Amino acid sequence: LAVQCIDMYNLTPKGVRFFLVASRTEQEVGLWDSVRKVLPQENILCYEEGGYEEVRAFLMRLLNEYAHVTCHVQGASLLWRYRDIWSRKDASCVVTIHYFRNDKFWLRPIVSFLFALLILRFADKAIFLAPFPVRQFCGANLIKRFGKFCYMPFALPISTTVPDRDEMLDPDDFNVVYLAYFRRDKNHEKFLPELIEFVRLHKNAKVYFFGDGPRLDSVKKKVVRAGVEQQILPPGRIAHSKMQGLLAKSSVALALSGSENVGHNAVEPMLMGVPVVGTRVGSAEYIIDDGVTGFGVDARGDLFSALQRMYEMPREDLREMGENAKKCAMGQFNYKGMLKGYFGLYESVSK
């Protein structure tokens, strides 16, 4: 998102000013530094958690200085908190619905309907990033009926040119890369027994867990107990700049979360020409085409069967599957197209 904000600032049309308002909290150290190198300090509000009044004051200053302000907000809470601002004629509001799921099934229609009413009352457009929130969000049809629906896949700023090859992975091995944040609700460990079974059968197969999370230590212990720690390796979280080199030497990528919002752990490998074996959640649900771009897995035994099938494929067939995956991902997740789409949307709601 930091890279996206920088690119949006650089692509801002003439006569339009771009401002960034976001929490000081960083998921990765240095994100704010990279933003500050490009955006002028007066175009940034970096607030502490809970600094809602500071945000309000910033928005009011912009409204006093400019003829019209369009705000792109994330989630229902900001839509409700600043409803008096969104009601003004010199302000427009676009809200993104990243993901919608309520674990208590009976609450889902009630919550989504109330959220839809908020959108109809205070937002000019609601952006859905993937088809599955539309299905989960029972207010989606209501939003469509009133012309406030917008579908825009969330793309990643990834260079699809192959950088220098990373030396961590041996290109002669059958390299399986697993990008994940390991936590309980994602249920990543469900398929671990099948990975263990697969590497025991094939001594040149290596599985790399790139990521971290509270359940990673548990995964490591299970791998050691199974005696396959030389083949299932958890290097942990690595710099995003190195990821493309690693993916370039991968045979297959895994995306095995129990739940995802957009799920770029499937999209990113595909953009680099790597076929994906994944659970049918998030983006993987509609970009994994069995036998064409990878394989979808549901039940126990599916993962082992998919990996075994890909292991036995001629290398040319596996490369062809990777090329199919790349074409599919690039067609649906066009980064520059997404940024242009945002500016077009902002312009339409500001009139």
Side-chain angles (χ1 to χ4, degrees):
L1 284 174
V3 175
Q4 179 187 322
C5 289
I6 291 170
D7 289 341
M8 290 187 75
Y9 173 77
N10 289 331
L11 291 170
T12 301
K14 188 176 180 180
V16 177
R17 295 199 66 186
F18 179 86
F19 295 87
L20 173 64
V21 179
S23 166
R24 193 179 300 278
T25 304
E26 292 183 316
Q27 287 183 318
E28 290 188 33
V29 176
L31 288 183
W32 271 115
D33 289 339
S34 63
V35 171
R36 289 191 184 98
K37 288 177 183 176
V38 180
L39 271 70
Q41 186 56 45
E42 62 269 21
N43 288 39
I44 299 172
L45 173 61
C46 178
Y47 65 89
E48 298 291 346
E49 286 293 337
Y52 300 114
E53 289 309 310
E54 190 179 1
V55 173
R56 176 180 290 279
F58 187 82
L59 292 175
M60 293 305 297
R61 178 173 70 80
L62 295 182
L63 285 164
N64 289 331
E65 292 179 10
Y66 297 97
H68 193 95
V69 176
T70 297
C71 296
H72 188 163
V73 303
Q74 317 290 328
S77 61
L78 294 179
L79 197 58
W80 174 253
R81 187 177 294 276
Y82 303 116
R83 59 193 182 278
D84 57 316
I85 293 177
W86 316 139
S87 299
R88 293 175 54 138
K89 290 184 179 180
D90 56 350
S92 302
C93 177
V94 174
V95 61
T96 290
I97 300 176
H98 287 274
Y99 183 37
F100 186 82
R101 188 188 70 176
N102 191 298
D103 290 329
K104 294 181 178 179
F105 183 78
W106 65 272
L107 268 179
R108 187 180 300 172
I110 299 172
V111 173
S112 65
F113 181 73
L114 291 174
F115 192 3
L117 291 180
L118 273 181
I119 290 169
L120 292 176
R121 176 65 181 84
F122 300 113
D124 293 271
K125 286 287 182 179
I127 299 175
F128 288 82
L129 303 179
F132 53 92
V134 180
R135 295 197 303 272
Q136 296 167 345
F137 194 85
C138 77
N141 287 332
L142 195 61
I143 294 169
K144 286 180 181 178
R145 186 181 303 171
F146 283 87
K148 296 194 174 187
F149 178 91
C150 178
Y151 170 57
M152 195 177 301
F154 185 77
L156 286 168
I158 291 178
S159 168
T160 53
T161 56
V162 178
D164 293 337
R165 302 248 168 181
D166 196 282
E167 298 192 2
M168 186 184 298
L169 277 65
D170 186 336
D172 294 326
D173 287 336
F174 186 82
N175 294 309
V176 181
V177 170
Y178 194 170
L179 311 179
Y181 181 76
F182 295 87
R183 66 187 197 206
R184 187 179 296 278
D185 64 305
K186 296 280 188 177
N187 201 17
H188 291 288
E189 296 167 63
K190 174 182 177 181
F191 292 99
L192 187 58
E194 292 177 61
L195 287 176
I196 292 170
E197 183 183 0
F198 178 74
V199 298
R200 280 176 174 166
L201 184 62
H202 304 290
K203 296 306 177 186
N204 69 329
K206 300 283 180 63
V207 179
Y208 294 87
F209 290 156
F210 292 115
D212 52 16
R215 297 295 298 174
L216 183 57
D217 284 341
S218 171
V219 171
K220 289 179 182 179
K221 289 175 183 176
K222 290 179 180 179
V223 167
V224 171
R225 282 200 299 269
V228 292
E229 63 271 23
Q230 298 303 312
Q231 288 181 271
I232 299 183
L233 307 162
R237 190 168 186 165
I238 63 167
H240 188 266
S241 57
K242 294 183 178 180
M243 182 51 62
Q244 285 137 312
L246 292 165
L247 288 171
K249 292 171 71 172
S250 304
S251 308
V252 182
L254 301 179
L256 302 175
S257 299
S259 64
E260 278 293 349
N261 43 22
V262 175
H264 284 116
N265 56 343
V267 177
E268 192 167 355
M270 290 176 71
L271 285 168
M272 290 301 298
V274 181
V276 172
V277 177
T279 44
R280 300 181 193 278
V281 297
S283 301
E285 179 183 349
Y286 59 101
I287 60 174
I288 294 181
D289 186 356
D290 283 348
V292 179
T293 61
F295 291 97
V297 296
D298 298 299
R300 181 169 175 76
D302 286 357
L303 175 60
F304 180 85
S305 298
L307 289 175
Q308 184 64 22
R309 186 170 170 183
M310 297 171 96
Y311 182 88
E312 293 172 352
M313 278 183 181
R315 287 293 175 100
E316 313 86 72
D317 291 354
L318 199 57
R319 278 195 291 270
E320 183 180 350
M321 187 178 284
E323 285 302 310
N324 292 337
K326 185 174 181 177
K327 289 176 185 175
C328 173
M330 289 183 73
Q332 295 192 48
F333 297 89
N334 185 304
Y335 178 66
K336 288 187 177 179
M338 179 193 72
L339 297 185
K340 289 179 180 177
Y342 279 151
F343 282 122
L345 182 63
Y346 300 157
E347 184 178 8
S348 70
V349 300
S350 66
K351 293 178 179 178

